[in-house]
Each structure stands twice: as C-alpha cells, then as structure tokens.
Amino acid sequence: MNKPLTSGSRLWSTLMEMATIGAIPENGSCRLSLTDEDRQARDLFARWCREAGCTLRVDRYGNMFAVRPGSKAGAPAVLVGSHLDTQPHGGRFDGVLGVLAGLEILRALNDAGVETEHPVAVVNWTNEEGVRFKPGLTGSKGFVGLLDEATVEGEGGADYFSELSRIGYAGHPMTDFEVLAYYELHIEQGPVLEAAKAPVGIVEGIQGVRWLEVELRGHDAHVGTTPMDNRSDSFMAAAALASRLRERAISLDKHIRFTVGRIEVSPNSQNTVPGLTTLHIDLRHGSTAVLDAFEKVMAETIPEVETQERVRVNARQTMRVEPVTFDETCRRHLLASARAFGLDPVSLPSGAMHDASSLATKVPAAMLFAQSRDGISHNPLEWSEPEHVASACEILAQAVLVHAGTKGRWGDESRDT
C-alpha cells in the first residue's frame, strides 16, 4: 500500500475548528442556511480555500466552488463536496465532513506536488438541510437545473435570494463550469457499518423522497359547549388520516418510510376545538412506482376522512427527489481505492437525502460513507471516530486522483492518518 496522501490529523483539526461556529451544548452545531453562523462558516472555508491556492467561485444559488486547476486546458472538473449548513440541533460531521475532506485533498495535493489533468474542485452546496428554506437540496438542485425557484419558501417570510445578498454570497450563473464526475463523502447516519465493523461503505443509490403538506380545515369551537358528535375537529381528523396513511403505506411495501415529522395546530388553545391542522409528511422509498402508488392511495383516503370527520382537506407536494443509482465507474474507483487501503467496504443504500442525488441526474456520481457511532445523526451526539474519518478521506482522495487523470503516486514521505 502506498504512503497516505492525506493527513487525518489535519482534517480532524479542521473539522473541530469549523464546529466552533454555531456551537451549541453537548458539542453540537447550529448553522442554519443563510444565517450569520452560515456566513461565518463560509468565510472560514473561503479563507482556507484561498490559502490553498484555489480560485473561489460562487454561483447564483450561493454554492461555493474552490477550484484547483488541472494541466489539460478546458477540461471538466472532478467535483467533491457536501454542505456546511446543519440541523437546529445538529452535530459536527453531517455534511461538513464531505466539504472539509475535499479541502484536505486539495491541501494534500499541494503538499505532495501532485498535478492532475482535470481540475479538482470542492463545493459547499447551499441549504441541503431544508430547515430555513424549502425545498432542501436547494443549491444542488439549482446547479443542475432541477429547481423551480417559485417553489422556494422561507420560514417567517425569509427570501432565499435576499438572504444570500445579506450574507454576501449572492453569485452569478456558472455556465462555463463543467463537471466530469462528482464524489461525496458523508457519515452514514445509520447503524449498518458499525454493526458490520466496517469503517466505510460504498453507497449503491439513494431512496426517492417526497415531502407532502396536508391541510385539514374544520371549525374552531368552544370545547365545553360543543358536543363531541357536532364537532369539526381538524386535529382528530389529522390523527385519523395519519394513522390510515401509515397502515396503507406499510401494506404497499414494508420497506417504505412514512413519517409525520411536523404538525401545526391552530388556534393552538387548550380549550378550543382546533379549526386548522397541517401535517408535514416525509415519504421515502427506492422505487418511483411505490411512491406514486402511495400518493394514489392518499388521494383515495382523503375523501373518506373528509366525510367521516366533517373537514376539508387540501394536500400538496412540496418537494420531490427521485431515486437514483450511482455510477458504476465511480463506485468501482472507490472500491479499488478502499481495497488498496486494505479494506473491503460494505455496499449499502442511503435512506437519507444528499446533494449527490441532484448531481447524479446529470453527471456520473458516487458516495462514500464513514461509520457513525450508534447510527446517530441530526443530533449533537453525532460521532465518527478519527481513524474512520481519516480512512474515508484517503479512500476518497485516491478515487478522485484516478478520475482526475493521475494514479496518485507521490514521494516516499510519510504522512499521518
């Protein structure tokens, strides 16, 4: 096995420094997209990229691209990255690892004097998490032309493009930037690799995701004076609808993921029958046909609840991400790199959304997972061991080097992992 190219200790130090921005109790992170904390994280990343000699570009959606040039004029770039934004009670690794591992690859290439034929670029995608703005994957969808800008909604009336300008990251269309292939490193966010005692895994593909918003309208009423059989209770109707949809989803396919992750009740008063309840549904499966079948079942179920509970229901889809299968050649590069490193990685699907699902619709793409302790994510307790992070970064680096036009053979200097 060759001497490692990348420095695991330097990557770890970079991760921990980034985690100080938006730090919350229990070693967590909160950097919601296009907030001041996000701006600070972007500024730090931009400084590091410029110090690494990269050209920094920002597109219309606020995506940041740090480009290390290649030797072949006009060649498309091998792109590596993920996102710096987090959940409100997020951890130190989700998304951030993929961006900073890309930065570590650029730094290591500089240290070793490795020249690639194709440019190697690192990207920070905007608003992957979809917390402040919906839909999620906003930046990556915009980059590949799959975003309907009219559908972008901000919490509390926040405007996506105005907020980009406010924090200083409103860019311009990048029509001259071509991508040869895209690689993304991410923590697994699940228990499969830990159970298999595997430091890393190669992702086969990503489940399709649909977000659905269901409004149920009844009538506000006094709880003490309105008989039970004379109510139009939007919350109880929502509970009935959610329960039926869950049962029918499971009957379609046991592998489906149906979740009501958020409920809004109005007027939200303990002594008033609620007149308006909104359900926010997250639906996931690896087959478009199954997702379509669920939406048909939902359309058939809604009239039943309307009649029985005396409410009116309106449902709309707020996000749609199609299932993807990752590129065989990119996955083969990751597999060969892992085996050269002495590992036999697990092959597994991803149940979580990632920006790679956007890129995979337009260019060859692949993902590598690093093991997560207890499968915890979107939580301050999120953790990946330093040695697993280092191994994953080195495997990613070797795959990128092969795709970028070099076998990645460098001097005999030892570098820590």
Side-chain angles (χ1 to χ4, degrees):
M1 183 177 70
N2 292 326
K3 296 293 185 183
L5 173 68
T6 57
S7 167
S9 62
R10 180 169 56 188
L11 171 56
W12 189 262
S13 175
T14 305
L15 284 164
M16 294 306 106
E17 185 173 349
M18 182 61 75
T20 64
I21 299 175
I24 60 175
E26 297 184 301
N27 296 317
S29 297
C30 178
R31 291 188 301 272
L32 304 188
S33 188
L34 310 189
T35 59
D36 290 343
E37 291 79 15
D38 186 25
R39 175 187 55 76
Q40 293 171 40
R42 288 165 173 264
D43 289 349
L44 180 58
F45 175 61
R47 175 168 66 81
W48 283 336
C49 292
R50 291 190 177 106
E51 289 172 353
C54 297
T55 300
L56 189 66
R57 303 181 65 181
V58 180
D59 74 1
R60 170 172 166 72
Y61 303 98
N63 301 315
M64 302 170 66
F65 298 84
V67 185
R68 183 181 190 266
S71 62
K72 187 187 296 185
V78 176
L79 186 61
V80 184
S82 192
H83 59 96
L84 294 175
D85 66 313
T86 73
Q87 288 286 323
H89 296 95
R92 291 175 284 181
F93 301 92
D94 177 358
V96 186
L97 173 59
V99 178
L100 299 186
L103 172 64
E104 173 55 32
I105 292 171
L106 299 185
R107 288 169 163 173
L109 291 175
N110 291 343
D111 292 347
V114 175
E115 185 178 54
T116 58
E117 292 183 1
H118 291 265
V120 176
V122 179
V123 60
N124 167 39
W125 300 113
T126 303
N127 193 49
E128 190 270 357
E129 295 288 4
V131 179
R132 274 195 82 204
F133 300 93
K134 293 180 175 50
L137 310 181
T138 315
S140 58
K141 277 177 168 283
F143 178 73
V144 299
L146 294 177
L147 180 69
D148 180 355
E149 294 182 14
T151 66
V152 179
E153 299 178 356
E155 289 292 318
D159 179 75
Y160 182 88
F161 294 102
S162 296
E163 286 294 275
L164 272 177
S165 296
R166 185 187 69 81
I167 68 168
Y169 282 91
H172 306 282
M174 287 175 50
T175 56
D176 61 336
F177 184 73
E178 294 185 47
V179 177
L180 177 68
Y182 175 71
Y183 288 90
E184 183 168 340
L185 169 60
H186 207 282
I187 59 170
E188 182 196 355
Q189 304 177 279
V192 174
L193 297 180
E194 186 176 51
K197 295 182 170 53
V200 298
I202 297 173
V203 186
E204 300 160 353
I206 300 179
Q207 290 187 119
V209 182
R210 296 187 191 179
W211 282 2
L212 304 162
E213 181 182 280
V214 184
E215 283 188 350
L216 300 96
R217 291 187 177 274
H219 298 289
D220 295 358
H222 194 294
V223 300
T225 61
T226 309
M228 297 295 286
D229 61 359
N230 196 36
R231 295 183 177 189
S232 179
D233 186 329
S234 67
F235 175 76
M236 295 310 297
L241 179 63
S243 180
R244 291 185 201 186
L245 290 179
R246 178 180 180 276
E247 291 174 2
R248 293 174 186 182
I250 294 170
S251 70
L252 280 174
D253 191 302
K254 67 179 182 179
H255 298 296
I256 203 167
R257 301 290 187 266
F258 170 86
T259 306
V260 179
R262 180 177 163 200
I263 301 174
E264 298 168 355
V265 180
S266 177
N268 201 28
S269 170
Q270 191 166 348
N271 61 349
T272 301
V273 175
L276 174 63
T277 299
T278 304
L279 302 178
H280 297 268
I281 297 171
D282 183 300
L283 185 73
R284 305 189 184 213
H285 196 273
S287 165
T288 298
V290 172
L291 297 171
D292 288 343
F294 173 84
E295 292 208 51
K296 182 179 179 182
V297 165
M298 185 171 77
E300 294 168 350
T301 306
I302 284 173
E304 300 172 7
V305 173
E306 287 180 315
T307 300
Q308 293 169 11
E309 301 291 338
R310 297 184 296 277
V311 295
R312 290 175 290 113
V313 181
N314 179 61
R316 68 186 183 106
Q317 187 182 106
T318 59
M319 186 174 72
R320 181 187 184 106
V321 179
E322 297 296 344
V324 297
T325 299
F326 285 128
D327 180 73
E328 185 177 346
T329 298
C330 293
R331 290 164 59 193
R332 198 162 56 238
H333 288 334
L334 288 171
L335 178 61
S337 177
R339 286 178 173 167
F341 198 70
L343 298 175
D344 191 16
V346 170
S347 181
L348 73 168
S350 172
M353 287 190 298
H354 298 287
D355 292 302
S357 62
S358 300
L359 274 290
T361 65
K362 302 294 181 180
V363 301
M367 286 194 74
L368 183 70
F369 277 168
Q371 186 188 118
S372 297
R373 186 171 66 191
D374 298 328
I376 294 173
S377 184
H378 289 189
N379 185 315
L381 299 179
E382 180 179 279
W383 182 261
S384 289
E385 295 295 337
E387 59 268 29
H388 297 158
V389 167
S391 297
C393 183
E394 181 65 20
I395 290 165
L396 179 69
Q398 296 304 320
V400 167
L401 284 171
V402 171
H403 218 129
T406 176
K407 295 298 182 185
R409 299 193 182 279
W410 47 92
D412 295 329
E413 299 93 348
S414 230
R415 287 183 171 78
D416 65 296
T417 60

